Amino acid sequence: MAFRRRNKSYPFFSQEFLIQNHADIVFSLVIFVLIGLMFEATAKTAILFIQPQYNVTTVTPEGEATFYHYGWKDGATVLFYLFIAIILHAVVQEYLLDKVNRRLHLSKSKNTKFNESGQLCVFHLVSSVWSFYVLLTEGYLLHPSTLWENYPHVNLRFQVKFFYLTQVAYWLHALPELYFQKVRKEEISRQLQYICLYLLHVSAAYLLNMSRVGLVLLFLQYASELGFHIARMLYFIDENHQKMFDVWAVSFVFTRMVTLTLMFLAVGFGLARSDNQELDLESGNFNTVLIRMTVLLLVCVTQSWLLWKFIRFQLRRWREFRHEQAVRKKVAGKPAPRPLKRDSVGHHENGVLKAENGASPRTKKLKSA
C-alpha cells in the first residue's frame, strides 16, 4: 500500500527514506498486530492494542452494563491508534489535499498552512460530530447537572473511553508529523503550542475523572476551530472570500463565554458543594480545593491566551483591510489618460498628423493636364 509517488529512491533507514515511507512502515506494524489476533498464543497480547481494557460488568435497573476505567494498559491502545492516525493522515494528504494543492499553485508557506487546516478540518469535523453524538446518547445535554453530580465519574461507557483514547492518540501523532511533514522551524513553535495544550486538557479531563465536562468543552472547541480552518482554506482558495472569518469570530467569542461559564458552574460551584472533598486515589476522587483551583486557573489562563491571540488576529485583519482600502482610493483618484484624437486618415500626435500604421501620410500629387 503506497501512499506517495516515488520520484526518487533513498538508502534504507536514511532520513529521507523514513520520511517518504513512514506511512507504509506504520501500516506494516498495524498489519503485524492484526495478524497476532489470528493465533491463540499472541491473541491476548494483540487485543491489548486494539480493544480498550479495564472493563467491569455491573447490574443496572436496565440490565447488565459494561463500564470501563483507566489504567496503564491504555498506553498500548493509545499507541495502536496513534499508528492508525498516522495512516489516516497520509491518506487525507495524498488523496485529497495534494490533489487540491496541485490545482491552486500556492506558495510554500500558504501550502503548509493549507495542509494544516485541511488535516484539522477533517479531524475537527469527525470529533465534533462524534462528541455531540456521545453527549446526546449519554444524556448530558438534556440533564446538565449530571456533569458534576455523582463525582467521581470513574465508570465510563465504551464510547466515552474510546473517544478519549483516540483524542490522546491523535494529538500524540501530531508530534512526529512535524518531522514527517518537514514543517518549517518558524511554524513548529506555533503548532507545538496548541498540540501540547490539547494534550494537557484532554489528559487532565480523562485522568481527573472529569470526562463529562471535558466532552462538552471539547465539542465547543472543535466546532469553533472547524469554522476557523474552513474560513482559512476558503481564503487561500480565493482571497476575496473573508466573510467566513466573521462567522468564526462570533462562534469564537461565544465558545469562550460558554467555556468559562460552564467551568465555574461545574467545578467552582457543583463540585464545591459535594460532600466528599478528600483526595482518594483508589476511588479516583480528586475533588479537593487545590485541584479545583488548579483546574479553574488552567482553563482561565488558556482562555485568556486564546482571547489575546484572537484580538491580535482581528487587529491584523483590520490593518490589512485599511491598507487595501487606502490603495484602492489612490488607484481610483488617479485621472484617466486623455484619449487621442483620431480622424479617417490617421491621428494627431504632438501637432503632427500620423497614419494608423505610424507613418506620416503623404498628400497625393496632382497630374497637370
Side-chain angles (χ1 to χ4, degrees), residues 263-319:
M263 283 302 298
F264 278 101
L265 179 63
V267 179
F269 294 97
L271 293 182
R273 298 172 61 184
S274 177
D275 297 332
N276 188 6
Q277 297 192 21
E278 295 182 1
L279 181 63
D280 190 354
L281 299 180
E282 293 184 0
S283 62
N285 184 26
F286 298 93
N287 186 15
T288 63
V289 176
L290 179 60
I291 294 178
R292 288 201 308 270
M293 294 302 295
T294 303
V295 171
L296 287 175
L297 180 62
L298 174 63
V299 173
C300 290
V301 170
T302 303
Q303 300 305 310
S304 301
W305 179 71
L306 291 174
L307 279 172
W308 170 245
K309 289 187 63 179
F310 173 78
I311 293 173
R312 291 180 58 188
F313 175 78
Q314 294 298 329
L315 288 176
R316 185 171 66 251
R317 282 190 62 210
W318 180 75
R319 286 195 296 265

Side-chain angles (χ1 to χ4, degrees), residues 47-48 51-58 65-71 73-74 154-158 161 165 206:
I47 203 69
L48 292 175
Q51 181 179 337
Q53 302 300 306
Y54 304 104
N55 57 317
V56 178
T57 303
T58 58
T66 302
F67 296 96
Y68 294 81
H69 58 275
Y70 63 80
K73 293 181 182 179
D74 291 341
V154 179
N155 295 325
L156 306 175
R157 295 189 182 273
F158 174 83
K161 177 168 183 175
L165 293 180
Y206 182 63

Side-chain angles (χ1 to χ4, degrees), residues 54-111:
Y54 304 104
N55 57 317
V56 178
T57 303
T58 58
V59 179
T60 61
E62 293 80 12
E64 291 187 353
T66 302
F67 296 96
Y68 294 81
H69 58 275
Y70 63 80
W72 65 270
K73 293 181 182 179
D74 291 341
T77 310
V78 169
L79 179 63
F80 178 80
Y81 288 100
L82 184 150
F83 293 159
I84 297 295
I86 292 176
I87 296 172
L88 294 178
H89 188 112
V91 170
V92 172
Q93 185 66 42
E94 175 66 19
Y95 296 104
L96 181 61
L97 297 179
D98 285 350
K99 291 183 178 180
V100 177
N101 286 330
R102 284 192 288 268
R103 295 184 178 183
L104 295 179
H105 305 290
L106 299 174
S107 62
K108 191 173 181 180
S109 60
K110 289 184 177 181
N111 188 24

Side-chain angles (χ1 to χ4, degrees), residues 151-169:
Y151 180 85
H153 307 136
V154 179
N155 295 325
L156 306 175
R157 295 189 182 273
F158 174 83
Q159 60 180 356
V160 178
K161 177 168 183 175
F162 189 62
F163 174 81
Y164 273 97
L165 293 180
T166 52
Q167 293 297 309
V168 175

Side-chain angles (χ1 to χ4, degrees), residues 4 89 92-94 96-102 106-122 170 181 191 229 232-233 236:
R4 294 184 179 277
H89 188 112
V92 172
Q93 185 66 42
E94 175 66 19
L96 181 61
L97 297 179
D98 285 350
K99 291 183 178 180
V100 177
N101 286 330
R102 284 192 288 268
L106 299 174
S107 62
K108 191 173 181 180
S109 60
K110 289 184 177 181
N111 188 24
T112 302
K113 293 182 179 179
F114 184 86
N115 291 335
E116 177 192 2
S117 291
Q119 294 287 347
L120 291 175
C121 268
V122 175
Y170 180 86
Q181 299 298 324
Q191 295 191 27
H229 291 291
R232 191 161 73 160
M233 292 182 70
F236 289 143

